[in-house]
Short mmCIF file of all heavy atoms in Angstrom, two decimals:
data_model
loop_
_atom_site.label_atom_id
_atom_site.label_comp_id
_atom_site.label_asym_id
_atom_site.label_seq_id
_atom_site.Cartn_x
_atom_site.Cartn_y
_atom_site.Cartn_z
N GLU A 18 -9.71 123.63 141.14
CA GLU A 18 -10.04 124.98 140.85
C GLU A 18 -9.34 125.50 139.63
O GLU A 18 -9.92 126.20 138.77
CB GLU A 18 -9.57 125.81 142.13
CG GLU A 18 -10.06 127.21 142.08
CD GLU A 18 -11.56 127.37 142.17
OE1 GLU A 18 -12.28 126.33 142.53
OE2 GLU A 18 -12.04 128.39 141.85
N LYS A 21 -10.66 124.18 136.35
CA LYS A 21 -12.10 124.78 136.12
C LYS A 21 -11.80 126.13 135.53
O LYS A 21 -12.39 126.59 134.58
CB LYS A 21 -12.93 124.89 137.30
CG LYS A 21 -14.38 125.04 137.04
CD LYS A 21 -15.21 124.89 138.27
CE LYS A 21 -15.73 126.15 138.70
NZ LYS A 21 -15.59 126.54 140.13
N SER A 443 -1.38 127.94 140.80
CA SER A 443 -1.92 126.97 141.71
C SER A 443 -3.33 127.16 142.28
O SER A 443 -3.72 128.38 142.32
CB SER A 443 -0.91 126.82 142.86
OG SER A 443 -0.93 127.99 143.81
N ASP A 445 -3.92 127.26 145.43
CA ASP A 445 -3.76 128.09 146.49
C ASP A 445 -3.65 129.63 146.20
O ASP A 445 -4.11 130.45 146.92
CB ASP A 445 -2.47 127.67 147.26
CG ASP A 445 -2.60 126.44 148.03
OD1 ASP A 445 -3.70 126.00 148.17
OD2 ASP A 445 -1.59 125.83 148.40
N GLN A 446 -3.03 129.85 145.00
CA GLN A 446 -2.94 131.29 144.58
C GLN A 446 -4.31 131.71 144.22
O GLN A 446 -4.66 132.83 144.50
CB GLN A 446 -1.94 131.39 143.36
CG GLN A 446 -0.56 131.21 143.70
CD GLN A 446 0.36 131.22 142.46
OE1 GLN A 446 -0.06 130.60 141.41
NE2 GLN A 446 1.59 131.72 142.49
N PHE A 448 -7.09 130.61 145.30
CA PHE A 448 -7.93 130.70 146.64
C PHE A 448 -7.63 132.04 147.22
O PHE A 448 -8.52 132.84 147.70
CB PHE A 448 -7.76 129.60 147.54
CG PHE A 448 -8.56 129.55 148.73
CD1 PHE A 448 -9.90 129.84 148.68
CD2 PHE A 448 -7.95 129.30 149.95
CE1 PHE A 448 -10.66 129.85 149.82
CE2 PHE A 448 -8.76 129.38 151.13
CZ PHE A 448 -10.06 129.67 151.07
N LEU A 449 -6.37 132.40 147.38
CA LEU A 449 -5.93 133.68 148.03
C LEU A 449 -6.57 134.83 147.35
O LEU A 449 -7.17 135.66 147.98
CB LEU A 449 -4.42 133.77 147.97
CG LEU A 449 -3.86 135.21 148.40
CD1 LEU A 449 -4.30 135.51 149.84
CD2 LEU A 449 -2.36 135.28 148.33
N CYS A 450 -6.48 134.82 145.91
CA CYS A 450 -7.21 135.92 145.29
C CYS A 450 -8.65 136.01 145.45
O CYS A 450 -9.25 137.06 145.79
CB CYS A 450 -6.92 135.80 143.73
SG CYS A 450 -5.12 135.93 143.28
N GLN A 451 -9.32 134.85 145.41
CA GLN A 451 -10.69 134.85 145.53
C GLN A 451 -11.16 135.25 146.98
O GLN A 451 -12.16 136.04 147.20
CB GLN A 451 -11.37 133.45 145.23
CG GLN A 451 -11.21 133.08 143.88
CD GLN A 451 -11.40 131.54 143.65
OE1 GLN A 451 -11.06 130.75 144.46
NE2 GLN A 451 -11.92 131.23 142.55
N GLN A 452 -10.29 134.80 148.01
CA GLN A 452 -10.64 135.18 149.37
C GLN A 452 -10.45 136.68 149.63
O GLN A 452 -11.01 137.26 150.54
CB GLN A 452 -9.70 134.39 150.32
CG GLN A 452 -10.38 134.05 151.62
CD GLN A 452 -10.81 135.26 152.36
OE1 GLN A 452 -9.99 136.11 152.58
NE2 GLN A 452 -12.09 135.26 152.82
N ARG A 453 -9.76 137.35 148.64
CA ARG A 453 -9.72 138.75 148.78
C ARG A 453 -10.76 139.50 147.87
O ARG A 453 -10.61 140.69 147.68
CB ARG A 453 -8.35 139.29 148.40
CG ARG A 453 -7.11 138.76 149.31
CD ARG A 453 -7.32 139.22 150.84
NE ARG A 453 -6.31 138.69 151.57
CZ ARG A 453 -6.37 137.75 152.55
NH1 ARG A 453 -7.47 137.00 152.60
NH2 ARG A 453 -5.25 137.33 153.15
N GLY A 454 -11.65 138.71 147.32
CA GLY A 454 -12.74 139.31 146.61
C GLY A 454 -12.57 139.31 145.13
O GLY A 454 -13.33 139.96 144.35
N ILE A 455 -11.44 138.77 144.57
CA ILE A 455 -11.12 138.85 143.20
C ILE A 455 -11.72 137.59 142.43
O ILE A 455 -11.34 136.51 142.90
CB ILE A 455 -9.62 139.03 143.03
CG1 ILE A 455 -9.01 140.17 143.79
CG2 ILE A 455 -9.18 138.97 141.52
CD1 ILE A 455 -7.50 140.20 143.96
N ASP A 456 -12.37 137.90 141.45
CA ASP A 456 -12.95 136.72 140.71
C ASP A 456 -11.87 135.92 139.97
O ASP A 456 -10.78 136.41 139.71
CB ASP A 456 -14.14 137.04 139.85
CG ASP A 456 -13.77 138.05 138.81
OD1 ASP A 456 -12.81 137.75 138.09
OD2 ASP A 456 -14.28 139.14 138.77
N THR A 457 -12.17 134.70 139.60
CA THR A 457 -11.30 133.74 138.99
C THR A 457 -10.61 134.34 137.80
O THR A 457 -9.41 134.28 137.57
CB THR A 457 -11.97 132.40 138.70
OG1 THR A 457 -12.72 132.12 139.73
CG2 THR A 457 -10.89 131.41 138.46
N HIS A 459 -10.04 137.60 136.76
CA HIS A 459 -9.17 138.68 137.13
C HIS A 459 -7.90 137.87 137.77
O HIS A 459 -6.85 138.35 137.42
CB HIS A 459 -9.75 139.59 138.10
CG HIS A 459 -10.50 140.69 137.49
ND1 HIS A 459 -11.83 140.69 137.35
CD2 HIS A 459 -10.03 141.82 136.83
CE1 HIS A 459 -12.23 141.72 136.76
NE2 HIS A 459 -11.14 142.51 136.41
N MET A 463 -4.26 138.26 136.28
CA MET A 463 -3.24 138.97 137.18
C MET A 463 -2.01 138.09 137.48
O MET A 463 -0.94 138.49 137.38
CB MET A 463 -3.99 139.37 138.48
CG MET A 463 -3.23 140.32 139.36
SD MET A 463 -4.22 140.85 140.69
CE MET A 463 -4.42 139.37 141.76
N ILE A 464 -2.23 136.74 137.66
CA ILE A 464 -1.10 135.93 137.96
C ILE A 464 -0.20 135.79 136.73
O ILE A 464 1.02 135.85 136.75
CB ILE A 464 -1.56 134.52 138.42
CG1 ILE A 464 -2.27 134.68 139.81
CG2 ILE A 464 -0.55 133.52 138.57
CD1 ILE A 464 -3.10 133.47 140.27
N ASN A 466 -0.03 137.89 134.21
CA ASN A 466 0.72 139.16 133.95
C ASN A 466 1.82 139.30 134.96
O ASN A 466 2.92 139.80 134.57
CB ASN A 466 -0.29 140.29 134.18
CG ASN A 466 -0.93 140.67 132.81
OD1 ASN A 466 -0.27 141.04 131.90
ND2 ASN A 466 -2.25 140.47 132.65
N GLY A 467 1.66 138.87 136.07
CA GLY A 467 2.76 138.98 137.14
C GLY A 467 3.90 138.24 136.66
O GLY A 467 5.08 138.63 136.71
N PHE A 468 3.62 137.06 136.15
CA PHE A 468 4.68 136.03 135.61
C PHE A 468 5.53 136.70 134.45
O PHE A 468 6.68 136.51 134.34
CB PHE A 468 3.97 134.86 135.15
CG PHE A 468 4.81 133.80 134.50
CD1 PHE A 468 5.68 133.06 135.21
CD2 PHE A 468 4.75 133.65 133.12
CE1 PHE A 468 6.56 132.13 134.60
CE2 PHE A 468 5.59 132.75 132.47
CZ PHE A 468 6.42 131.91 133.26
N LYS A 470 5.96 139.95 133.97
CA LYS A 470 6.29 141.39 134.40
C LYS A 470 7.60 141.73 133.86
O LYS A 470 7.89 142.90 133.24
CB LYS A 470 6.23 141.52 135.83
CG LYS A 470 6.21 143.03 136.31
CD LYS A 470 6.09 142.92 137.82
CE LYS A 470 6.32 144.29 138.35
NZ LYS A 470 6.45 144.17 139.77
N GLN B 51 -11.05 127.20 156.75
CA GLN B 51 -11.08 127.18 155.22
C GLN B 51 -12.50 126.91 154.74
O GLN B 51 -12.81 127.52 153.58
CB GLN B 51 -10.18 125.86 154.85
CG GLN B 51 -8.74 125.92 155.27
CD GLN B 51 -8.00 126.88 154.32
OE1 GLN B 51 -8.22 126.99 153.22
NE2 GLN B 51 -7.04 127.61 154.98
N GLY B 55 -14.46 129.43 152.20
CA GLY B 55 -14.91 128.87 150.91
C GLY B 55 -13.86 128.15 150.05
O GLY B 55 -13.95 128.17 148.78
N ASN B 56 -12.92 127.50 150.64
CA ASN B 56 -11.89 126.65 149.99
C ASN B 56 -12.56 125.44 149.44
O ASN B 56 -13.06 124.67 150.16
CB ASN B 56 -10.77 126.26 150.87
CG ASN B 56 -9.60 125.72 150.12
OD1 ASN B 56 -9.91 125.13 149.04
ND2 ASN B 56 -8.43 125.63 150.75
N GLU B 57 -12.55 125.37 147.93
CA GLU B 57 -13.22 124.31 147.32
C GLU B 57 -12.67 122.94 147.48
O GLU B 57 -13.21 121.92 147.08
CB GLU B 57 -13.55 124.77 145.88
CG GLU B 57 -14.50 125.80 145.70
CD GLU B 57 -14.75 126.25 144.31
OE1 GLU B 57 -14.30 125.42 143.40
OE2 GLU B 57 -15.28 127.32 144.17
N GLU B 79 -15.47 134.42 146.30
CA GLU B 79 -15.24 135.84 146.21
C GLU B 79 -16.32 136.64 146.74
O GLU B 79 -16.14 137.71 147.29
CB GLU B 79 -14.83 136.23 144.80
CG GLU B 79 -15.87 135.79 143.68
CD GLU B 79 -15.47 134.52 142.98
OE1 GLU B 79 -14.94 133.62 143.74
OE2 GLU B 79 -15.69 134.37 141.87
N ALA B 82 -16.02 137.04 150.40
CA ALA B 82 -14.97 138.01 150.69
C ALA B 82 -15.67 139.52 150.55
O ALA B 82 -15.41 140.43 151.34
CB ALA B 82 -13.79 137.87 149.85
N ARG B 83 -16.44 139.59 149.44
CA ARG B 83 -17.01 140.97 149.16
C ARG B 83 -18.11 141.29 150.21
O ARG B 83 -18.36 142.39 150.38
CB ARG B 83 -17.64 140.86 147.82
CG ARG B 83 -16.55 140.75 146.62
CD ARG B 83 -17.25 140.26 145.41
NE ARG B 83 -16.21 140.14 144.37
CZ ARG B 83 -16.54 139.52 143.28
NH1 ARG B 83 -17.66 139.17 142.90
NH2 ARG B 83 -15.56 139.41 142.25
N VAL B 86 -16.12 138.71 154.74
CA VAL B 86 -15.43 137.67 155.33
C VAL B 86 -14.00 137.79 154.91
O VAL B 86 -13.55 137.68 153.75
CB VAL B 86 -16.00 136.22 155.02
CG1 VAL B 86 -15.14 135.20 155.60
CG2 VAL B 86 -17.49 136.17 155.40
N PHE B 87 -13.06 137.70 155.89
CA PHE B 87 -11.67 137.87 155.61
C PHE B 87 -10.88 136.71 156.25
O PHE B 87 -11.09 136.49 157.53
CB PHE B 87 -11.02 139.12 156.03
CG PHE B 87 -9.59 139.26 155.82
CD1 PHE B 87 -9.05 139.95 154.53
CD2 PHE B 87 -8.58 138.79 156.67
CE1 PHE B 87 -7.82 139.93 154.38
CE2 PHE B 87 -7.25 138.85 156.49
CZ PHE B 87 -6.82 139.55 155.31
N LEU B 88 -10.06 135.97 155.56
CA LEU B 88 -9.32 134.90 156.21
C LEU B 88 -7.85 135.41 156.17
O LEU B 88 -7.24 135.55 154.99
CB LEU B 88 -9.46 133.56 155.48
CG LEU B 88 -8.49 132.38 155.88
CD1 LEU B 88 -8.73 132.06 157.34
CD2 LEU B 88 -8.69 131.24 154.87
N PHE B 90 -4.43 133.94 156.30
CA PHE B 90 -3.89 132.46 156.06
C PHE B 90 -2.79 132.14 157.03
O PHE B 90 -1.94 132.88 157.42
CB PHE B 90 -3.34 132.45 154.61
CG PHE B 90 -4.51 132.31 153.61
CD1 PHE B 90 -5.12 133.51 153.18
CD2 PHE B 90 -4.96 131.17 153.08
CE1 PHE B 90 -6.02 133.45 152.12
CE2 PHE B 90 -5.99 131.11 152.17
CZ PHE B 90 -6.51 132.24 151.70
N VAL B 94 0.43 132.24 150.45
CA VAL B 94 1.22 131.86 149.18
C VAL B 94 1.72 133.12 148.62
O VAL B 94 1.37 134.27 148.73
CB VAL B 94 0.41 131.06 148.18
CG1 VAL B 94 -0.04 129.72 148.75
CG2 VAL B 94 -0.85 131.79 147.79
N GLU B 95 2.83 132.82 147.68
CA GLU B 95 3.38 133.91 146.98
C GLU B 95 2.71 134.08 145.66
O GLU B 95 2.27 133.09 144.96
CB GLU B 95 4.92 133.63 146.73
CG GLU B 95 5.61 133.44 148.05
CD GLU B 95 7.16 133.41 147.78
OE1 GLU B 95 7.71 133.56 146.54
OE2 GLU B 95 7.92 133.37 148.72
N PRO B 97 4.16 135.67 142.52
CA PRO B 97 5.26 136.52 141.94
C PRO B 97 4.92 137.49 140.82
O PRO B 97 4.09 137.17 140.03
CB PRO B 97 6.28 135.39 141.34
CG PRO B 97 5.71 134.10 142.03
CD PRO B 97 4.32 134.37 142.29
N GLY B 98 5.63 138.56 140.93
CA GLY B 98 5.33 139.63 139.93
C GLY B 98 4.13 140.54 140.03
O GLY B 98 3.97 141.53 139.41
N VAL B 99 3.15 140.13 140.89
CA VAL B 99 2.00 140.89 141.16
C VAL B 99 2.29 141.62 142.46
O VAL B 99 2.37 141.04 143.51
CB VAL B 99 0.75 140.06 141.40
CG1 VAL B 99 -0.47 140.87 141.68
CG2 VAL B 99 0.52 139.17 140.11
N PHE B 104 -2.37 144.10 143.73
CA PHE B 104 -3.25 142.97 144.31
C PHE B 104 -4.27 143.71 145.12
O PHE B 104 -5.61 143.32 144.92
CB PHE B 104 -2.31 142.12 145.16
CG PHE B 104 -3.04 140.92 145.91
CD1 PHE B 104 -3.65 139.92 145.06
CD2 PHE B 104 -3.22 140.94 147.24
CE1 PHE B 104 -4.27 138.90 145.70
CE2 PHE B 104 -3.95 139.88 147.86
CZ PHE B 104 -4.43 138.88 147.06
N ALA B 108 -8.36 143.89 144.52
CA ALA B 108 -9.27 143.36 145.54
C ALA B 108 -10.33 144.46 145.90
O ALA B 108 -11.53 144.19 145.96
CB ALA B 108 -8.45 142.93 146.74
N ASN B 111 -12.74 145.17 143.14
CA ASN B 111 -13.66 144.09 142.94
C ASN B 111 -14.77 144.16 144.07
O ASN B 111 -15.92 143.86 143.86
CB ASN B 111 -12.88 142.72 143.02
CG ASN B 111 -12.55 142.14 141.67
OD1 ASN B 111 -13.21 141.31 141.06
ND2 ASN B 111 -11.44 142.73 141.14
N ILE B 112 -14.29 144.43 145.21
CA ILE B 112 -15.29 144.62 146.25
C ILE B 112 -16.31 145.73 146.09
O ILE B 112 -17.45 145.63 146.40
CB ILE B 112 -14.50 144.56 147.68
CG1 ILE B 112 -13.84 143.30 147.93
CG2 ILE B 112 -15.49 144.98 148.79
CD1 ILE B 112 -12.81 143.31 149.07
N GLU B 161 -0.53 139.90 155.87
CA GLU B 161 -1.90 139.51 155.99
C GLU B 161 -2.77 140.50 156.79
O GLU B 161 -3.97 140.80 156.41
CB GLU B 161 -2.02 138.02 156.63
CG GLU B 161 -1.50 136.86 155.79
CD GLU B 161 -2.22 136.62 154.51
OE1 GLU B 161 -3.42 136.15 154.77
OE2 GLU B 161 -1.81 136.89 153.48
N GLN B 164 -3.45 143.55 154.91
CA GLN B 164 -4.50 143.35 153.95
C GLN B 164 -5.81 143.45 154.74
O GLN B 164 -6.84 144.17 154.32
CB GLN B 164 -4.38 142.08 153.25
CG GLN B 164 -3.21 142.08 152.30
CD GLN B 164 -3.00 140.57 151.64
OE1 GLN B 164 -3.89 139.88 151.57
NE2 GLN B 164 -1.73 140.27 151.36
#
Side-chain angles (χ1 to χ4, degrees):
Chain A
E18 190 64 17
K21 202 171 102 227
S443 73
D445 287 345
Q446 286 173 328
F448 181 48
L449 169 61
C450 294
Q451 291 166 325
Q452 213 300 308
R453 298 299 182 255
I455 302 167
D456 58 59
T457 319
H459 274 101
M463 191 170 69
I464 292 166
N466 270 295
F468 174 75
K470 193 178 167 193
Chain B
Q51 299 286 322
N56 188 338
E57 291 177 14
E79 54 266 34
R83 293 163 183 170
V86 176
F87 180 94
L88 172 64
F90 286 84
V94 290
E95 301 191 359
V99 177
F104 179 69
N111 267 259
I112 293 169
E161 292 290 292
Q164 294 172 27

